[in-house]
Amino acid sequence: MSSIVHVNKPLSSSIIIEILDQNPDLETITLPESLYNRTSHTYLDALTQLEIQIQTKSVRGRPPIYDDQLQKQIDDLIKEGMPPKIISKRLKISQKTVYHLKTLPLKRGPESKYTQEQIEEIFILKDNGLKVKDISKKMNIPLRSVYDLIKKNKRD
């Protein structure tokens, strides 16, 4: 049948015998590195004595289904300033795929509407023991925003 056989199961005596029965002119067995590392040296030595080579293939995972042209389209749309959500709808692909295939950095979102002085004051009040709820009331900033500002501007 074939002089080269690819195996994607761990080699065992029964699998080796089955392969040899189906391929009497077998010269080479290829298998993934992970399976090669788990294969008993006894089996590898026996195949070597039968003058059958063992080769590993380092190709992992499923072959890519998207080409370079799609990646270029995504990058062009990012250059135009289009957000990933709109790109995914326009190209009819998932938003996760857009993030995976992009090579250009995305533009930053809008700047915070709170000044650095306001953020500093939040931390001073917090360090003085004021509760976040009270900081929110005192500075007239929504409670959720105070939590977000504290989280985004952590101090070490």
Side-chain angles (χ1 to χ4, degrees):
M1 284 229 165
S2 177
S3 63
I4 298 176
V5 173
H6 180 74
V7 179
N8 58 0
K9 298 185 229 178
L11 287 178
S12 65
S13 58
S14 60
I15 290 177
I16 292 172
I17 291 169
E18 183 181 326
I19 292 170
L20 291 172
D21 286 344
Q22 292 175 359
N23 304 285
D25 59 340
L26 183 65
E27 295 175 6
T28 307
I29 294 177
T30 62
L31 65 157
E33 282 183 55
S34 60
L35 288 179
Y36 179 82
N37 294 334
R38 292 185 289 167
T39 302
S40 168
H41 290 289
T42 307
Y43 297 140
L44 297 175
D45 292 341
L47 289 169
T48 304
Q49 288 176 359
L50 293 172
E51 297 181 1
I52 297 173
Q53 295 179 352
I54 305 292
Q55 295 178 352
T56 59
K57 285 194 171 185
S58 60
V59 177
R60 291 185 169 169
R62 189 171 92 185
I65 58 174
Y66 300 112
D67 57 1
D68 294 336
Q69 183 181 1
L70 180 64
Q71 189 171 25
K72 185 180 179 327
Q73 277 183 298
I74 291 170
D75 287 342
D76 290 344
L77 293 172
I78 288 172
K79 280 181 192 173
E80 293 174 14
M82 191 175 292
K85 187 174 185 176
I86 304 298
I87 294 172
S88 71
K89 286 181 181 177
R90 179 176 283 185
L91 299 178
K92 295 181 175 71
I93 57 176
S94 73
Q95 196 170 338
K96 186 174 182 178
T97 302
V98 172
Y99 281 106
H100 177 72
L101 293 177
K102 74 175 184 57
T103 58
L104 296 176
L106 296 169
K107 292 182 179 178
R108 290 193 61 140
E111 292 294 320
S112 174
K113 67 179 185 180
Y114 302 103
T115 65
Q116 194 59 39
E117 291 80 26
Q118 288 174 307
I119 295 170
E120 290 296 323
E121 187 177 348
I122 289 171
F123 278 101
I124 291 169
L125 293 172
K126 187 173 182 296
D127 291 342
N128 288 335
L130 208 58
K131 294 180 181 177
V132 177
K133 186 176 182 180
D134 297 330
I135 295 171
S136 169
K137 285 181 183 176
K138 181 174 182 165
M139 295 185 67
N140 198 23
I141 298 175
L143 182 63
R144 183 73 250 155
S145 296
V146 174
Y147 277 115
D148 285 343
L149 289 169
I150 290 171
K151 183 179 179 183
K152 289 178 184 174
N153 299 285
K154 281 187 179 178
R155 295 182 179 174
D156 294 326

